[in-house]
Amino acid sequence: MISFARGAPAPECLDAELLADCARAAIQRDPAVLAYGPGGGYAPLRGWLGARHEVDPERVILTNGGLQGFVFYAEELLAERPGRVLVEAPTYDRPLKILARLGAESVPVAMDEEGLDPDSLARELEAGETSFLYTIPTFQNPSGRTLSTERRRRVVELAREHELPVLEDDPYGRVRYEGDALPSLHELEGGTLVTYASSFSKTVAPGVRVGWFVAPAELAARIEARAVATYISPPFLTQATVFELIDRRSFEPNLERIRRLLKTRRDAMRAALERELDGAATWSEPAGGYFLWVDLPTDAAALLQRAEEAGVTFVKGSDFFPAARGGAESMRLAFSYASPSEIDEGVSVLASLVRA
Ligand SMILES: Cc1ncc(COP(=O)(O)O)c(C=O)c1O
């Protein structure tokens, strides 16, 4: 099966030798990483991230991947400020499932090629009590789209106007293939309302399970308390391994290598789509990240069934909408995992099915 479904890095992205060496060095440097410790994470890594975000290290909470942090954040916000959760339509499917499990209503906010539509956000803010906005402004999962700077400013204005807590989820921002980084919502707003979340899953390895949240001090303390109540301590060994990678100045060269590997895949998918589906379908133009969103002239669920019979898989668009309301004729293609030649072959298979 050629998988365009897996939002995972290609195996070559994971440098096992380098990480094994960093893990050994991390234990030797500081054997306390094998003990229990603070729920908010490994102090040197919190300190480094705090300096990068220009906040006190206590405001940085290291979580077991970004998704675990999402659970803590959502539980805290829904308890403190009950209401609807505004999400991009489409959005990352796992938070939708988590919110449903927590009994929260996810309300879709429209987006287009420039990302979340601030007018639609404004309308939803007037329509009922809101707990928080969950947004992935850069190289969004699933669409690959990026919120323009002008819209970032509008979203921040709206957040201020409505005292709206915002969770900015940014695991893909550093996986950029061209162009310059845009200011984060967190930077534009100053970190009073916007909590920033990211992860080393896409820049080091998902298996290290190291995510981080930069939250207002009081919220950070509550998230840390939830972490302690859930798992006592996070895995210091992998957090210290990531810190060792940073400390020996291997993080940036490793990221550059990952970018090169993934850009080749993004380019292969774009070239194959242009060759095979030009005029028949349209797709997003991501300058980074893992995903490309394709609007089809046909039903995506039926296409998926036939594609899987032919050995290719993807995720159908409706999985990324609250209550599956939308995306019936769209699909998410992850270009991060398959090899460039598999991408070429897989897109040919999909295109022949679309044309048929
Ligand atoms: C937008 C987004 N947020 C969070 C995550 C979770 O990443 P992790 O828990 O591995 O840090 C993912 C993973 O695919 C993602 O796409």
Side-chain angles (χ1 to χ4, degrees):
M1 190 72 84
I2 295 176
S3 179
F4 298 145
R6 300 195 69 186
E12 306 90 287
C13 290
L14 311 178
D15 191 334
E17 280 302 314
L18 176 64
L19 290 173
D21 200 44
C22 289
R24 167 172 284 276
I27 298 179
Q28 282 169 339
R29 179 208 284 251
D30 185 4
V33 300
L34 300 175
Y36 289 122
Y42 186 59
L45 186 55
R46 285 176 90 178
W48 185 80
L49 287 165
R52 241 191 65 196
H53 289 284
E54 298 179 3
V55 300
D56 195 275
E58 269 79 69
R59 290 181 53 193
V60 179
I61 306 296
L62 304 180
T63 53
N64 300 345
L67 201 64
Q68 174 75 74
F70 178 86
V71 176
F72 293 154
Y73 179 91
E75 285 173 342
E76 275 304 322
L77 265 286
L78 289 165
E80 173 196 337
R81 204 181 138 111
R84 306 133 79 233
V85 178
L86 305 186
V87 299
E88 288 150 345
T91 190
Y92 180 29
D93 50 345
R94 289 186 194 276
L96 289 177
K97 292 189 182 116
I98 291 165
L99 291 169
R101 175 165 61 75
L102 296 176
E105 184 194 358
S106 296
V107 173
V109 178
M111 63 187 307
D112 58 23
E113 288 312 313
E114 271 187 73
L116 174 75
D117 171 22
D119 293 333
S120 175
L121 174 61
R123 277 194 298 278
E124 288 306 339
L125 286 168
E126 297 295 341
E129 290 300 314
T130 300
S131 182
F132 66 95
L133 165 70
Y134 171 62
T135 175
I136 310 157
T138 309
F139 313 139
Q140 196 229 22
N141 180 4
S143 69
R145 294 168 185 148
T146 291
L147 189 68
S148 64
T149 303
E150 195 190 317
R151 286 195 183 181
R152 286 173 192 241
R153 294 192 197 285
R154 276 289 317 278
V155 170
V156 166
E157 271 169 36
L158 285 166
R160 289 198 179 120
E161 217 173 286
H162 293 265
E163 292 185 25
L164 170 72
V166 177
L167 177 56
E168 175 179 30
D169 191 9
D170 184 32
Y172 300 101
R174 302 274 347 258
V175 189
R176 174 178 277 281
Y177 311 128
E178 59 248 338
D180 295 324
L182 304 183
S184 66
L185 297 172
H186 185 260
E187 283 160 358
L188 290 173
E189 191 272 332
T192 306
L193 290 161
V194 178
T195 292
Y196 178 90
S198 189
S199 166
F200 290 102
S201 286
K202 318 294 169 176
T203 56
V204 178
V208 295
R209 309 307 301 135
V210 183
W212 76 94
F213 275 61
V214 184
E218 192 256 341
L219 176 59
R222 285 190 283 138
I223 292 176
E224 179 161 6
R226 268 192 196 268
V228 174
T230 306
Y231 45 64
I232 311 176
S233 290
F236 293 114
L237 174 53
T238 58
Q239 295 178 359
T241 302
V242 170
F243 181 72
E244 172 67 26
L245 185 76
I246 292 166
D247 197 53
R248 60 166 75 173
R249 311 236 184 292
S250 294
F251 175 82
E252 291 293 339
N254 184 57
L255 177 56
E256 196 46 49
R257 191 181 60 80
I258 292 173
R259 283 197 194 107
R260 268 200 309 278
L261 288 165
L262 296 184
K263 179 180 187 294
T264 307
R265 288 164 168 79
R266 191 276 316 259
D267 292 348
M269 185 164 276
R270 207 156 60 177
L273 285 167
E274 274 163 21
R275 187 186 66 225
E276 303 278 350
L277 280 172
D278 194 24
T282 55
W283 48 89
S284 59
E285 294 284 348
Y290 277 23
F291 307 107
L292 213 142
W293 184 257
V294 183
D295 290 317
L296 297 159
T298 186
D299 181 72
L303 177 67
L304 178 59
Q305 199 178 348
R306 283 179 291 140
E308 287 187 342
E309 285 159 14
V312 181
T313 186
F314 60 85
V315 183
K316 62 186 190 315
S318 57
D319 287 7
F320 303 100
F321 287 80
R325 283 200 205 97
E329 297 196 337
S330 304
M331 62 180 169
R332 184 191 77 175
L333 297 182
F335 51 77
S336 55
Y337 187 74
S339 69
S341 62
E342 285 172 332
I343 290 174
D344 200 59
E345 187 189 334
V347 171
S348 296
V349 169
L350 290 179
S352 65
L353 295 171
V354 169
R355 284 194 300 267

